[in-house]
Amino acid sequence: MSEIANKVKLETKMFLGEHYIEPIDIGFFPTPLIVENRISKEIGRKILIKREDMVDVLGCGHKLRRMRYLLSGINYNEIDALVTIGSVPSNQAKTVALFARILELESHIIIGGDKQTKPSTLSGNYLVTKLMADFVQWYEFTSWIKMKEIAQKYSEQLSKQGILNFFIDSGASQESGLIGSIELGIEIKNQLDIEKESINHIVICAGSGASAVGLAIASELQQASWTIHGICIGEGSETVLTHSIDLMNTWNKKLGTEFNLEKVKFYDHAIGLGYDEPTDYEIEISEYILKQYGMLFDLNYMVKTFIGMKILLEQEIIPKGETIVLVNSGGNIGFFDSHSKKISNKRTEYGGAL
Ligand SMILES: *Cc1c(COP(=O)(O)O)cnc(C)c1O
């Protein structure tokens, strides 16, 4: 284990005490924290990117970071299957399918959503999930609340058939899952210390808000005084905040601490049309980022987060002169989801030497 990974582990362990558990050994840690000179130059602020997309090659990103702890914390030797829910481009569904393979469990993935229909072609995360999962069950045009009820019933039904299973709720932050996001904050702080960088602002994608909660805990713990800017990408900021408060309360109770969300801000300004409905503008930005910086920003998580960050800078919600850590939470395989359907034709008209 590298020196820094070792230090992060020790510090996480020291903080959590009896609540610490050894994570499942998968993924490459620490993920790099890189000064992005070209983005910084263009935007006019010093931007460091935390490359959570480099934790694995399947783009599981920080879902993988959390699931190492979540699944290590349950007694997976005594169950037969993992169950989860997701939508077509779901990064979570893919990560669950991957862990099921590693732990030699069955995976049951329930896919659906308000407007979702079964795609006629397989691409991106959905393709990878289909190839790795044992069972993919479809519920077209089904709300999230309904999906959760369906999953609960599905899980009970499996148990009745003698297939003992564990349900992983969306966000993968239940049980010990959040430890992964606290660890992320400890890792970032250690890397900043080595680089002799001190920052006040972190920008991160907010799906369930769990990453922001983990970073807020890590910040207070390390007296870092970071403001965590969570860019909402699916559910609105009020829903995300409610969920985050619940999660924070659960951990405060567990640890006997009084961490709070005072320095966490959630924003709705980059939601666009919502999950799995990229706008032309978002597609344009994702193409631009690839062309300009050679990075695969997927349309559901990272493009929106990037756009959200730019707005924070333009409106000077993050003041001029501040260095920023932008967390690339992963999900890069998602670049090939809806993107491939809509990518502009003009780019394929070859105007080169041939
Ligand atoms: C799930 C997910 C998120 C959302 O993170 P939360 O901690 O749920 O807010 C962000 N990025 C990627 C790639 C994800 O898979």
Side-chain angles (χ1 to χ4, degrees), residues 59-64 66 90-92 95 170-173 181 204-213 231 233 240 243 266 275 298 300-302 305 328-332:
C60 297
H62 70 194
K63 286 278 172 356
L64 183 138
R66 283 212 285 266
S90 169
N91 204 27
Q92 160 137 354
T95 312
S170 46
S173 56
S181 297
I204 191 160
C205 175
S208 69
S211 303
V213 173
I231 311 295
I233 49 119
V240 175
H243 179 258
F266 292 116
Y275 201 80
D298 78 288
N300 284 304
Y301 306 105
M302 279 320 291
T305 306
N328 180 347
S329 47
N332 36 311

PDB file of all heavy atoms in Angstrom, residues 59-64 66 90-92 95 170-173 181 204-213 231 233 240 243 266 275 298 300-302 305 328-332, ligand 1:
ATOM      1  N   GLY A  59     -15.614   2.753 -14.765  1.00  0.00           N
ATOM      2  CA  GLY A  59     -16.316   4.007 -14.483  1.00  0.00           C
ATOM      3  C   GLY A  59     -17.247   3.931 -13.285  1.00  0.00           C
ATOM      4  O   GLY A  59     -18.219   4.677 -13.199  1.00  0.00           O
ATOM      5  N   CYS A  60     -16.960   3.039 -12.352  1.00  0.00           N
ATOM      6  CA  CYS A  60     -17.825   2.926 -11.161  1.00  0.00           C
ATOM      7  C   CYS A  60     -17.592   4.102 -10.212  1.00  0.00           C
ATOM      8  O   CYS A  60     -18.451   4.428  -9.396  1.00  0.00           O
ATOM      9  CB  CYS A  60     -17.574   1.623 -10.416  1.00  0.00           C
ATOM     10  SG  CYS A  60     -17.956   0.174 -11.391  1.00  0.00           S
ATOM     11  N   GLY A  61     -16.424   4.722 -10.322  1.00  0.00           N
ATOM     12  CA  GLY A  61     -16.150   5.945  -9.581  1.00  0.00           C
ATOM     13  C   GLY A  61     -16.386   5.818  -8.092  1.00  0.00           C
ATOM     14  O   GLY A  61     -16.076   4.803  -7.483  1.00  0.00           O
ATOM     15  N   HIS A  62     -16.972   6.869  -7.533  1.00  0.00           N
ATOM     16  CA  HIS A  62     -17.079   6.841  -6.077  1.00  0.00           C
ATOM     17  C   HIS A  62     -18.185   5.922  -5.558  1.00  0.00           C
ATOM     18  O   HIS A  62     -18.300   5.723  -4.373  1.00  0.00           O
ATOM     19  CB  HIS A  62     -17.090   8.247  -5.476  1.00  0.00           C
ATOM     20  CG  HIS A  62     -18.305   9.042  -5.724  1.00  0.00           C
ATOM     21  ND1 HIS A  62     -18.361  10.387  -5.493  1.00  0.00           N
ATOM     22  CD2 HIS A  62     -19.518   8.686  -6.150  1.00  0.00           C
ATOM     23  CE1 HIS A  62     -19.555  10.818  -5.777  1.00  0.00           C
ATOM     24  NE2 HIS A  62     -20.270   9.820  -6.178  1.00  0.00           N
ATOM     25  N   LYS A  63     -18.977   5.349  -6.452  1.00  0.00           N
ATOM     26  CA  LYS A  63     -19.905   4.292  -6.010  1.00  0.00           C
ATOM     27  C   LYS A  63     -19.086   3.081  -5.569  1.00  0.00           C
ATOM     28  O   LYS A  63     -19.436   2.383  -4.620  1.00  0.00           O
ATOM     29  CB  LYS A  63     -20.849   3.860  -7.126  1.00  0.00           C
ATOM     30  CG  LYS A  63     -21.946   4.845  -7.458  1.00  0.00           C
ATOM     31  CD  LYS A  63     -23.097   4.716  -6.495  1.00  0.00           C
ATOM     32  CE  LYS A  63     -24.150   5.797  -6.661  1.00  0.00           C
ATOM     33  NZ  LYS A  63     -23.963   6.854  -7.588  1.00  0.00           N
ATOM     34  N   LEU A  64     -17.989   2.864  -6.274  1.00  0.00           N
ATOM     35  CA  LEU A  64     -17.099   1.762  -5.907  1.00  0.00           C
ATOM     36  C   LEU A  64     -16.446   2.056  -4.558  1.00  0.00           C
ATOM     37  O   LEU A  64     -16.369   1.195  -3.693  1.00  0.00           O
ATOM     38  CB  LEU A  64     -16.037   1.559  -6.980  1.00  0.00           C
ATOM     39  CG  LEU A  64     -15.073   0.386  -6.749  1.00  0.00           C
ATOM     40  CD1 LEU A  64     -14.822  -0.360  -8.052  1.00  0.00           C
ATOM     41  CD2 LEU A  64     -13.749   0.833  -6.172  1.00  0.00           C
ATOM     42  N   ARG A  66     -17.607   3.661  -2.108  1.00  0.00           N
ATOM     43  CA  ARG A  66     -18.557   3.434  -1.002  1.00  0.00           C
ATOM     44  C   ARG A  66     -18.925   1.963  -0.848  1.00  0.00           C
ATOM     45  O   ARG A  66     -19.051   1.447   0.255  1.00  0.00           O
ATOM     46  CB  ARG A  66     -19.825   4.257  -1.227  1.00  0.00           C
ATOM     47  CG  ARG A  66     -19.670   5.719  -0.897  1.00  0.00           C
ATOM     48  CD  ARG A  66     -20.942   6.332  -0.370  1.00  0.00           C
ATOM     49  NE  ARG A  66     -21.952   6.582  -1.360  1.00  0.00           N
ATOM     50  CZ  ARG A  66     -22.104   7.754  -1.984  1.00  0.00           C
ATOM     51  NH1 ARG A  66     -21.307   8.760  -1.736  1.00  0.00           N
ATOM     52  NH2 ARG A  66     -23.074   7.923  -2.863  1.00  0.00           N
ATOM     53  N   SER A  90     -27.714   3.918 -15.249  1.00  0.00           N
ATOM     54  CA  SER A  90     -27.306   3.837 -13.842  1.00  0.00           C
ATOM     55  C   SER A  90     -25.897   3.309 -13.647  1.00  0.00           C
ATOM     56  O   SER A  90     -25.525   2.258 -14.146  1.00  0.00           O
ATOM     57  CB  SER A  90     -28.291   2.948 -13.081  1.00  0.00           C
ATOM     58  OG  SER A  90     -27.783   2.647 -11.792  1.00  0.00           O
ATOM     59  N   ASN A  91     -25.151   4.075 -12.866  1.00  0.00           N
ATOM     60  CA  ASN A  91     -23.799   3.701 -12.521  1.00  0.00           C
ATOM     61  C   ASN A  91     -23.847   2.734 -11.340  1.00  0.00           C
ATOM     62  O   ASN A  91     -22.992   1.876 -11.173  1.00  0.00           O
ATOM     63  CB  ASN A  91     -23.069   4.990 -12.128  1.00  0.00           C
ATOM     64  CG  ASN A  91     -21.594   4.873 -12.310  1.00  0.00           C
ATOM     65  OD1 ASN A  91     -21.131   4.108 -13.141  1.00  0.00           O
ATOM     66  ND2 ASN A  91     -20.853   5.624 -11.532  1.00  0.00           N
ATOM     67  N   GLN A  92     -24.865   2.929 -10.522  1.00  0.00           N
ATOM     68  CA  GLN A  92     -25.033   2.085  -9.342  1.00  0.00           C
ATOM     69  C   GLN A  92     -25.318   0.632  -9.737  1.00  0.00           C
ATOM     70  O   GLN A  92     -24.718  -0.300  -9.203  1.00  0.00           O
ATOM     71  CB  GLN A  92     -26.205   2.632  -8.517  1.00  0.00           C
ATOM     72  CG  GLN A  92     -26.785   1.626  -7.569  1.00  0.00           C
ATOM     73  CD  GLN A  92     -27.069   2.229  -6.220  1.00  0.00           C
ATOM     74  OE1 GLN A  92     -26.741   3.371  -5.954  1.00  0.00           O
ATOM     75  NE2 GLN A  92     -27.680   1.466  -5.350  1.00  0.00           N
ATOM     76  N   THR A  95     -22.218  -1.042 -10.786  1.00  0.00           N
ATOM     77  CA  THR A  95     -21.292  -1.306  -9.683  1.00  0.00           C
ATOM     78  C   THR A  95     -21.766  -2.498  -8.846  1.00  0.00           C
ATOM     79  O   THR A  95     -20.954  -3.325  -8.425  1.00  0.00           O
ATOM     80  CB  THR A  95     -21.113  -0.034  -8.811  1.00  0.00           C
ATOM     81  OG1 THR A  95     -20.867   1.071  -9.670  1.00  0.00           O
ATOM     82  CG2 THR A  95     -19.962  -0.180  -7.843  1.00  0.00           C
ATOM     83  N   SER A 170     -30.696   3.212  -3.651  1.00  0.00           N
ATOM     84  CA  SER A 170     -29.990   4.119  -4.558  1.00  0.00           C
ATOM     85  C   SER A 170     -29.126   5.096  -3.756  1.00  0.00           C
ATOM     86  O   SER A 170     -29.532   5.599  -2.713  1.00  0.00           O
ATOM     87  CB  SER A 170     -30.965   4.864  -5.472  1.00  0.00           C
ATOM     88  OG  SER A 170     -32.035   5.360  -4.736  1.00  0.00           O
ATOM     89  N   GLY A 171     -27.922   5.308  -4.244  1.00  0.00           N
ATOM     90  CA  GLY A 171     -26.959   6.163  -3.540  1.00  0.00           C
ATOM     91  C   GLY A 171     -25.874   5.334  -2.878  1.00  0.00           C
ATOM     92  O   GLY A 171     -24.772   5.821  -2.654  1.00  0.00           O
ATOM     93  N   ALA A 172     -26.195   4.109  -2.527  1.00  0.00           N
ATOM     94  CA  ALA A 172     -25.213   3.210  -1.878  1.00  0.00           C
ATOM     95  C   ALA A 172     -24.539   3.866  -0.672  1.00  0.00           C
ATOM     96  O   ALA A 172     -23.330   3.771  -0.494  1.00  0.00           O
ATOM     97  CB  ALA A 172     -24.160   2.721  -2.877  1.00  0.00           C
ATOM     98  N   SER A 173     -25.356   4.555   0.133  1.00  0.00           N
ATOM     99  CA  SER A 173     -24.758   5.210   1.303  1.00  0.00           C
ATOM    100  C   SER A 173     -25.304   4.648   2.611  1.00  0.00           C
ATOM    101  O   SER A 173     -25.002   5.149   3.682  1.00  0.00           O
ATOM    102  CB  SER A 173     -25.003   6.713   1.235  1.00  0.00           C
ATOM    103  OG  SER A 173     -26.377   6.967   1.129  1.00  0.00           O
ATOM    104  N   SER A 181     -17.116   7.950   1.550  1.00  0.00           N
ATOM    105  CA  SER A 181     -17.087   9.383   1.234  1.00  0.00           C
ATOM    106  C   SER A 181     -16.330  10.183   2.288  1.00  0.00           C
ATOM    107  O   SER A 181     -15.773  11.237   1.983  1.00  0.00           O
ATOM    108  CB  SER A 181     -18.510   9.915   1.075  1.00  0.00           C
ATOM    109  OG  SER A 181     -19.122   9.268  -0.019  1.00  0.00           O
ATOM    110  N   ILE A 204     -18.806  19.212  -6.151  1.00  0.00           N
ATOM    111  CA  ILE A 204     -19.056  17.776  -6.337  1.00  0.00           C
ATOM    112  C   ILE A 204     -20.482  17.559  -6.816  1.00  0.00           C
ATOM    113  O   ILE A 204     -21.379  18.363  -6.543  1.00  0.00           O
ATOM    114  CB  ILE A 204     -18.779  17.006  -5.008  1.00  0.00           C
ATOM    115  CG1 ILE A 204     -18.766  15.505  -5.252  1.00  0.00           C
ATOM    116  CG2 ILE A 204     -19.769  17.390  -3.910  1.00  0.00           C
ATOM    117  CD1 ILE A 204     -18.050  14.702  -4.188  1.00  0.00           C
ATOM    118  N   CYS A 205     -20.655  16.489  -7.550  1.00  0.00           N
ATOM    119  CA  CYS A 205     -21.981  16.105  -8.029  1.00  0.00           C
ATOM    120  C   CYS A 205     -22.855  15.676  -6.846  1.00  0.00           C
ATOM    121  O   CYS A 205     -22.382  15.017  -5.924  1.00  0.00           O
ATOM    122  CB  CYS A 205     -21.767  14.928  -8.975  1.00  0.00           C
ATOM    123  SG  CYS A 205     -23.245  14.191  -9.571  1.00  0.00           S
ATOM    124  N   ALA A 206     -24.128  16.068  -6.863  1.00  0.00           N
ATOM    125  CA  ALA A 206     -25.039  15.629  -5.799  1.00  0.00           C
ATOM    126  C   ALA A 206     -26.210  14.846  -6.376  1.00  0.00           C
ATOM    127  O   ALA A 206     -27.116  15.412  -6.980  1.00  0.00           O
ATOM    128  CB  ALA A 206     -25.541  16.823  -4.997  1.00  0.00           C
ATOM    129  N   GLY A 207     -26.138  13.525  -6.243  1.00  0.00           N
ATOM    130  CA  GLY A 207     -27.253  12.655  -6.622  1.00  0.00           C
ATOM    131  C   GLY A 207     -28.115  12.467  -5.394  1.00  0.00           C
ATOM    132  O   GLY A 207     -29.205  13.019  -5.276  1.00  0.00           O
ATOM    133  N   SER A 208     -27.606  11.721  -4.442  1.00  0.00           N
ATOM    134  CA  SER A 208     -28.302  11.547  -3.165  1.00  0.00           C
ATOM    135  C   SER A 208     -27.803  12.567  -2.140  1.00  0.00           C
ATOM    136  O   SER A 208     -28.458  12.805  -1.134  1.00  0.00           O
ATOM    137  CB  SER A 208     -28.057  10.135  -2.635  1.00  0.00           C
ATOM    138  OG  SER A 208     -26.705   9.974  -2.242  1.00  0.00           O
ATOM    139  N   GLY A 209     -26.649  13.136  -2.386  1.00  0.00           N
ATOM    140  CA  GLY A 209     -26.060  14.100  -1.441  1.00  0.00           C
ATOM    141  C   GLY A 209     -25.061  13.445  -0.490  1.00  0.00           C
ATOM    142  O   GLY A 209     -24.400  14.123   0.286  1.00  0.00           O
ATOM    143  N   ALA A 210     -24.937  12.133  -0.564  1.00  0.00           N
ATOM    144  CA  ALA A 210     -24.094  11.404   0.390  1.00  0.00           C
ATOM    145  C   ALA A 210     -22.616  11.804   0.303  1.00  0.00           C
ATOM    146  O   ALA A 210     -21.948  11.929   1.330  1.00  0.00           O
ATOM    147  CB  ALA A 210     -24.241   9.907   0.180  1.00  0.00           C
ATOM    148  N   SER A 211     -22.133  12.039  -0.901  1.00  0.00           N
ATOM    149  CA  SER A 211     -20.721  12.433  -1.035  1.00  0.00           C
ATOM    150  C   SER A 211     -20.475  13.741  -0.315  1.00  0.00           C
ATOM    151  O   SER A 211     -19.465  13.912   0.371  1.00  0.00           O
ATOM    152  CB  SER A 211     -20.349  12.615  -2.497  1.00  0.00           C
ATOM    153  OG  SER A 211     -20.612  11.447  -3.201  1.00  0.00           O
ATOM    154  N   ALA A 212     -21.409  14.673  -0.496  1.00  0.00           N
ATOM    155  CA  ALA A 212     -21.273  15.977   0.150  1.00  0.00           C
ATOM    156  C   ALA A 212     -21.277  15.810   1.676  1.00  0.00           C
ATOM    157  O   ALA A 212     -20.502  16.458   2.377  1.00  0.00           O
ATOM    158  CB  ALA A 212     -22.404  16.900  -0.299  1.00  0.00           C
ATOM    159  N   VAL A 213     -22.106  14.919   2.184  1.00  0.00           N
ATOM    160  CA  VAL A 213     -22.158  14.666   3.629  1.00  0.00           C
ATOM    161  C   VAL A 213     -20.811  14.123   4.119  1.00  0.00           C
ATOM    162  O   VAL A 213     -20.256  14.596   5.114  1.00  0.00           O
ATOM    163  CB  VAL A 213     -23.302  13.673   3.978  1.00  0.00           C
ATOM    164  CG1 VAL A 213     -23.251  13.274   5.453  1.00  0.00           C
ATOM    165  CG2 VAL A 213     -24.661  14.274   3.639  1.00  0.00           C
ATOM    166  N   ILE A 231     -23.730  19.990  -6.720  1.00  0.00           N
ATOM    167  CA  ILE A 231     -24.528  20.315  -7.910  1.00  0.00           C
ATOM    168  C   ILE A 231     -25.557  19.197  -8.120  1.00  0.00           C
ATOM    169  O   ILE A 231     -25.193  18.069  -8.469  1.00  0.00           O
ATOM    170  CB  ILE A 231     -23.632  20.435  -9.168  1.00  0.00           C
ATOM    171  CG1 ILE A 231     -22.405  21.351  -8.908  1.00  0.00           C
ATOM    172  CG2 ILE A 231     -24.451  20.910 -10.366  1.00  0.00           C
ATOM    173  CD1 ILE A 231     -22.706  22.804  -8.630  1.00  0.00           C
ATOM    174  N   ILE A 233     -28.233  16.837  -9.771  1.00  0.00           N
ATOM    175  CA  ILE A 233     -28.280  16.356 -11.154  1.00  0.00           C
ATOM    176  C   ILE A 233     -29.555  15.580 -11.447  1.00  0.00           C
ATOM    177  O   ILE A 233     -29.846  15.235 -12.580  1.00  0.00           O
ATOM    178  CB  ILE A 233     -27.066  15.440 -11.433  1.00  0.00           C
ATOM    179  CG1 ILE A 233     -26.911  14.372 -10.321  1.00  0.00           C
ATOM    180  CG2 ILE A 233     -25.792  16.239 -11.524  1.00  0.00           C
ATOM    181  CD1 ILE A 233     -27.025  13.001 -10.794  1.00  0.00           C
ATOM    182  N   VAL A 240     -32.668  16.551  -1.820  1.00  0.00           N
ATOM    183  CA  VAL A 240     -31.292  16.115  -1.545  1.00  0.00           C
ATOM    184  C   VAL A 240     -30.884  16.548  -0.137  1.00  0.00           C
ATOM    185  O   VAL A 240     -30.277  15.777   0.613  1.00  0.00           O
ATOM    186  CB  VAL A 240     -30.312  16.681  -2.607  1.00  0.00           C
ATOM    187  CG1 VAL A 240     -28.873  16.351  -2.265  1.00  0.00           C
ATOM    188  CG2 VAL A 240     -30.651  16.118  -3.987  1.00  0.00           C
ATOM    189  N   HIS A 243     -32.533  14.339   2.522  1.00  0.00           N
ATOM    190  CA  HIS A 243     -31.845  13.051   2.585  1.00  0.00           C
ATOM    191  C   HIS A 243     -30.501  13.187   3.297  1.00  0.00           C
ATOM    192  O   HIS A 243     -30.115  12.348   4.107  1.00  0.00           O
ATOM    193  CB  HIS A 243     -31.656  12.490   1.172  1.00  0.00           C
ATOM    194  CG  HIS A 243     -30.946  11.182   1.141  1.00  0.00           C
ATOM    195  ND1 HIS A 243     -29.613  11.074   0.813  1.00  0.00           N
ATOM    196  CD2 HIS A 243     -31.369   9.930   1.443  1.00  0.00           C
ATOM    197  CE1 HIS A 243     -29.246   9.810   0.909  1.00  0.00           C
ATOM    198  NE2 HIS A 243     -30.294   9.085   1.281  1.00  0.00           N
ATOM    199  N   PHE A 266     -26.452  23.043  -1.734  1.00  0.00           N
ATOM    200  CA  PHE A 266     -26.935  22.295  -2.908  1.00  0.00           C
ATOM    201  C   PHE A 266     -27.576  23.270  -3.895  1.00  0.00           C
ATOM    202  O   PHE A 266     -28.271  24.196  -3.492  1.00  0.00           O
ATOM    203  CB  PHE A 266     -27.944  21.228  -2.489  1.00  0.00           C
ATOM    204  CG  PHE A 266     -27.320  20.103  -1.688  1.00  0.00           C
ATOM    205  CD1 PHE A 266     -27.692  19.890  -0.361  1.00  0.00           C
ATOM    206  CD2 PHE A 266     -26.374  19.268  -2.245  1.00  0.00           C
ATOM    207  CE1 PHE A 266     -27.124  18.858   0.390  1.00  0.00           C
ATOM    208  CE2 PHE A 266     -25.794  18.240  -1.509  1.00  0.00           C
ATOM    209  CZ  PHE A 266     -26.178  18.038  -0.188  1.00  0.00           C
ATOM    210  N   TYR A 275     -32.389  13.684 -14.969  1.00  0.00           N
ATOM    211  CA  TYR A 275     -31.594  12.478 -15.184  1.00  0.00           C
ATOM    212  C   TYR A 275     -31.931  11.810 -16.511  1.00  0.00           C
ATOM    213  O   TYR A 275     -33.098  11.653 -16.852  1.00  0.00           O
ATOM    214  CB  TYR A 275     -31.856  11.507 -14.022  1.00  0.00           C
ATOM    215  CG  TYR A 275     -30.767  10.466 -13.839  1.00  0.00           C
ATOM    216  CD1 TYR A 275     -29.592  10.783 -13.188  1.00  0.00           C
ATOM    217  CD2 TYR A 275     -30.936   9.187 -14.321  1.00  0.00           C
ATOM    218  CE1 TYR A 275     -28.590   9.847 -13.029  1.00  0.00           C
ATOM    219  CE2 TYR A 275     -29.943   8.225 -14.165  1.00  0.00           C
ATOM    220  CZ  TYR A 275     -28.773   8.567 -13.509  1.00  0.00           C
ATOM    221  OH  TYR A 275     -27.785   7.636 -13.357  1.00  0.00           O
ATOM    222  N   ASP A 298     -19.379  12.197 -18.462  1.00  0.00           N
ATOM    223  CA  ASP A 298     -20.669  11.619 -18.835  1.00  0.00           C
ATOM    224  C   ASP A 298     -21.776  12.659 -18.653  1.00  0.00           C
ATOM    225  O   ASP A 298     -21.625  13.629 -17.917  1.00  0.00           O
ATOM    226  CB  ASP A 298     -20.971  10.401 -17.962  1.00  0.00           C
ATOM    227  CG  ASP A 298     -21.453  10.831 -16.605  1.00  0.00           C
ATOM    228  OD1 ASP A 298     -20.619  11.320 -15.823  1.00  0.00           O
ATOM    229  OD2 ASP A 298     -22.651  10.736 -16.335  1.00  0.00           O
ATOM    230  N   ASN A 300     -24.850  12.406 -17.330  1.00  0.00           N
ATOM    231  CA  ASN A 300     -25.715  12.439 -16.148  1.00  0.00           C
ATOM    232  C   ASN A 300     -25.054  13.047 -14.920  1.00  0.00           C
ATOM    233  O   ASN A 300     -25.724  13.661 -14.102  1.00  0.00           O
ATOM    234  CB  ASN A 300     -26.227  11.044 -15.811  1.00  0.00           C
ATOM    235  CG  ASN A 300     -27.325  10.635 -16.768  1.00  0.00           C
ATOM    236  OD1 ASN A 300     -28.313  11.337 -16.899  1.00  0.00           O
ATOM    237  ND2 ASN A 300     -27.121   9.537 -17.462  1.00  0.00           N
ATOM    238  N   TYR A 301     -23.774  12.828 -14.779  1.00  0.00           N
ATOM    239  CA  TYR A 301     -23.111  13.312 -13.567  1.00  0.00           C
ATOM    240  C   TYR A 301     -22.149  14.467 -13.835  1.00  0.00           C
ATOM    241  O   TYR A 301     -22.319  15.565 -13.333  1.00  0.00           O
ATOM    242  CB  TYR A 301     -22.357  12.152 -12.887  1.00  0.00           C
ATOM    243  CG  TYR A 301     -23.221  10.942 -12.597  1.00  0.00           C
ATOM    244  CD1 TYR A 301     -23.129   9.784 -13.357  1.00  0.00           C
ATOM    245  CD2 TYR A 301     -24.150  10.977 -11.563  1.00  0.00           C
ATOM    246  CE1 TYR A 301     -23.925   8.687 -13.096  1.00  0.00           C
ATOM    247  CE2 TYR A 301     -24.951   9.881 -11.291  1.00  0.00           C
ATOM    248  CZ  TYR A 301     -24.834   8.732 -12.063  1.00  0.00           C
ATOM    249  OH  TYR A 301     -25.633   7.659 -11.799  1.00  0.00           O
ATOM    250  N   MET A 302     -21.119  14.209 -14.623  1.00  0.00           N
ATOM    251  CA  MET A 302     -20.019  15.165 -14.682  1.00  0.00           C
ATOM    252  C   MET A 302     -20.243  16.399 -15.559  1.00  0.00           C
ATOM    253  O   MET A 302     -19.766  17.475 -15.244  1.00  0.00           O
ATOM    254  CB  MET A 302     -18.722  14.452 -15.081  1.00  0.00           C
ATOM    255  CG  MET A 302     -18.044  13.758 -13.913  1.00  0.00           C
ATOM    256  SD  MET A 302     -18.081  14.708 -12.364  1.00  0.00           S
ATOM    257  CE  MET A 302     -16.978  16.068 -12.778  1.00  0.00           C
ATOM    258  N   THR A 305     -22.244  18.679 -13.482  1.00  0.00           N
ATOM    259  CA  THR A 305     -21.428  19.205 -12.379  1.00  0.00           C
ATOM    260  C   THR A 305     -20.490  20.299 -12.886  1.00  0.00           C
ATOM    261  O   THR A 305     -20.313  21.330 -12.238  1.00  0.00           O
ATOM    262  CB  THR A 305     -20.621  18.057 -11.726  1.00  0.00           C
ATOM    263  OG1 THR A 305     -21.536  17.039 -11.349  1.00  0.00           O
ATOM    264  CG2 THR A 305     -19.872  18.528 -10.495  1.00  0.00           C
ATOM    265  N   ASN A 328     -14.170  14.666  -9.890  1.00  0.00           N
ATOM    266  CA  ASN A 328     -14.712  13.894 -11.013  1.00  0.00           C
ATOM    267  C   ASN A 328     -15.112  12.548 -10.431  1.00  0.00           C
ATOM    268  O   ASN A 328     -14.286  11.672 -10.211  1.00  0.00           O
ATOM    269  CB  ASN A 328     -13.647  13.723 -12.102  1.00  0.00           C
ATOM    270  CG  ASN A 328     -14.168  12.918 -13.283  1.00  0.00           C
ATOM    271  OD1 ASN A 328     -15.221  12.295 -13.193  1.00  0.00           O
ATOM    272  ND2 ASN A 328     -13.435  12.926 -14.372  1.00  0.00           N
ATOM    273  N   SER A 329     -16.405  12.432 -10.138  1.00  0.00           N
ATOM    274  CA  SER A 329     -16.872  11.282  -9.360  1.00  0.00           C
ATOM    275  C   SER A 329     -16.888   9.976 -10.142  1.00  0.00           C
ATOM    276  O   SER A 329     -17.157   8.918  -9.596  1.00  0.00           O
ATOM    277  CB  SER A 329     -18.257  11.584  -8.791  1.00  0.00           C
ATOM    278  OG  SER A 329     -19.084  12.119  -9.788  1.00  0.00           O
ATOM    279  N   GLY A 330     -16.595  10.046 -11.429  1.00  0.00           N
ATOM    280  CA  GLY A 330     -16.542   8.812 -12.232  1.00  0.00           C
ATOM    281  C   GLY A 330     -17.743   8.736 -13.159  1.00  0.00           C
ATOM    282  O   GLY A 330     -18.301   9.756 -13.539  1.00  0.00           O
ATOM    283  N   GLY A 331     -18.108   7.547 -13.534  1.00  0.00           N
ATOM    284  CA  GLY A 331     -19.265   7.390 -14.407  1.00  0.00           C
ATOM    285  C   GLY A 331     -18.928   7.591 -15.872  1.00  0.00           C
ATOM    286  O   GLY A 331     -19.816   7.767 -16.708  1.00  0.00           O
ATOM    287  N   ASN A 332     -17.624   7.557 -16.190  1.00  0.00           N
ATOM    288  CA  ASN A 332     -17.214   7.909 -17.552  1.00  0.00           C
ATOM    289  C   ASN A 332     -17.745   6.997 -18.657  1.00  0.00           C
ATOM    290  O   ASN A 332     -17.913   7.433 -19.779  1.00  0.00           O
ATOM    291  CB  ASN A 332     -15.679   8.030 -17.644  1.00  0.00           C
ATOM    292  CG  ASN A 332     -14.950   7.036 -16.783  1.00  0.00           C
ATOM    293  OD1 ASN A 332     -15.266   6.890 -15.597  1.00  0.00           O
ATOM    294  ND2 ASN A 332     -14.022   6.327 -17.342  1.00  0.00           N
TER     295      ASN A 332
HETATM  296  C1  LIG B   1     -24.115   8.144  -7.799  1.00  0.00           C
HETATM  297  C2  LIG B   1     -23.169   9.015  -8.418  1.00  0.00           C
HETATM  298  C3  LIG B   1     -23.056  10.350  -8.035  1.00  0.00           C
HETATM  299  C4  LIG B   1     -23.923  10.941  -6.985  1.00  0.00           C
HETATM  300  O1  LIG B   1     -23.310  10.944  -5.736  1.00  0.00           O
HETATM  301  P1  LIG B   1     -24.091  11.078  -4.374  1.00  0.00           P
HETATM  302  O2  LIG B   1     -23.080  10.776  -3.366  1.00  0.00           O
HETATM  303  O3  LIG B   1     -25.224  10.090  -4.397  1.00  0.00           O
HETATM  304  O4  LIG B   1     -24.613  12.470  -4.274  1.00  0.00           O
HETATM  305  C5  LIG B   1     -22.105  11.120  -8.673  1.00  0.00           C
HETATM  306  N1  LIG B   1     -21.316  10.631  -9.631  1.00  0.00           N
HETATM  307  C6  LIG B   1     -21.396   9.360 -10.028  1.00  0.00           C
HETATM  308  C7  LIG B   1     -20.501   8.894 -11.118  1.00  0.00           C
HETATM  309  C8  LIG B   1     -22.313   8.503  -9.433  1.00  0.00           C
HETATM  310  O5  LIG B   1     -22.399   7.242  -9.834  1.00  0.00           O
END
